Amino acid sequence: MTFQEILFYIFSTILLVASIRVVMSKNPVHAVLFLVLAFVTSAGLWMLMQAEFLAIVLVLVYVGAVMVLFLFVVMMLDVNLEEIRKGFWKNLPIALIVGAVIAIEITLILTNPQMNLVSFNGLKPLPADYNNIRELGLQLYTTYLMPFELASVLLVLGMVAAIALTHRKRTDVKRVNPADQVKARPKERVRVVQMSAEVEIEGVTEEAQDVPESPSDTTK
């Protein structure tokens, strides 16, 4: 077993464990942190495949910007976990069916002799003048133009969904109406009440005589 194969199995194991923890974590902040770990290990796999540009973009864009933004958004939204967990057992059979179908598809792809993905034999060294960015651009805007455009549409839909979730109406949040604050008057909100003073002399508490209220001490 070569050093590249050892790194491949280590990164793959960490990636699988982190992916499972993303789904199974009860705390959304922990789920986001495990997702960051999954992205970092995915970048390591890209490096083994000699795709340095994709690995750097995955770390800088997703881990350095997107996931940090997700982390702050999750921390600020104060997600109600009890509301999210409602209907879990009702939707569990559908989730198991979808997961089984995806697992069967992945297994068929990995066991296909034409794909040759089961054994990791490494890649041959590329020439010095090879440019990953140029090859990636040629593939995206020629062969995979339609999937690339569909991915951009999905990202726009995700952004719209995030905005809709942020501005959704919640009943468990205290809201303040600025119009009611402007209408409030100090005379209706402040009330001055005069009380008799208490004087303590040698352990005996004596009440002072009541002082008659003056016109200025009336309710304001």
Side-chain angles (χ1 to χ4, degrees):
M1 184 179 292
T2 61
F3 181 69
Q4 289 184 350
E5 291 180 354
I6 295 174
L7 290 179
F8 172 76
Y9 287 116
I10 291 175
F11 287 150
S12 300
T13 304
I14 297 175
L15 179 58
L16 290 176
V17 174
S19 302
I20 294 173
R21 293 297 297 167
V22 169
V23 182
M24 301 299 294
S25 295
K26 296 181 180 180
N27 193 332
V29 177
H30 295 170
V32 173
L33 293 177
F34 278 113
L35 189 57
V36 171
L37 178 60
F39 281 149
V40 172
T41 52
S42 299
L45 292 176
W46 282 116
M47 291 292 291
L48 292 178
M49 297 175 64
Q50 300 182 10
E52 295 85 2
F53 176 75
L54 292 178
I56 294 174
V57 169
L58 187 61
V59 173
L60 293 180
V61 176
Y62 282 91
V63 178
V66 177
M67 293 314 304
V68 175
L69 180 61
F70 283 0
L71 181 61
F72 280 102
V73 168
V74 169
M75 293 173 64
M76 289 186 296
L77 283 181
D78 191 14
V79 180
N80 191 351
L81 298 179
E82 296 298 331
E83 291 293 334
I84 295 177
R85 292 173 184 173
K86 288 183 178 179
F88 174 79
W89 297 107
K90 181 179 65 176
N91 300 323
L92 183 61
I94 300 176
L96 292 177
I97 294 173
V98 174
V101 171
I102 295 175
I104 293 172
E105 291 177 352
I106 294 175
T107 304
L108 292 176
I109 293 173
L110 293 177
T111 56
N112 188 0
Q114 298 179 356
M115 300 298 294
N116 193 18
L117 295 176
V118 177
S119 61
F120 181 78
N121 298 322
L123 300 175
K124 296 180 179 180
L126 299 174
D129 58 346
Y130 183 80
N131 193 336
N132 284 327
I133 302 176
R134 181 176 64 250
E135 294 296 331
L136 180 63
L138 290 175
Q139 293 295 327
L140 285 179
Y141 292 102
T142 55
T143 307
Y144 301 101
L145 179 61
M146 184 61 66
F148 181 71
E149 296 296 333
L150 291 177
S152 62
V153 174
L154 291 177
L155 290 176
V156 174
L157 292 177
M159 182 175 61
V160 173
I163 296 174
L165 289 175
T166 305
H167 292 280
R168 71 184 188 277
K169 293 183 179 180
R170 296 176 56 181
T171 58
D172 57 343
V173 178
K174 295 182 179 180
R175 301 181 182 274
V176 178
N177 189 359
D180 295 337
Q181 291 182 327
V182 174
K183 295 178 182 178
R185 292 181 296 178
K187 294 182 179 180
E188 297 177 354
R189 302 181 63 180
V190 179
R191 181 181 181 184
V192 179
V193 179
Q194 186 175 3
M195 301 177 62
S196 58
E198 295 183 359
V199 181
E200 184 176 355
I201 302 176
E202 296 181 357
V204 179
T205 303
E206 296 181 357
E207 294 185 358
Q209 296 181 355
D210 294 337
V211 180
E213 296 183 357
S214 60
S216 59
D217 295 330
T218 57
T219 302
K220 294 184 179 181

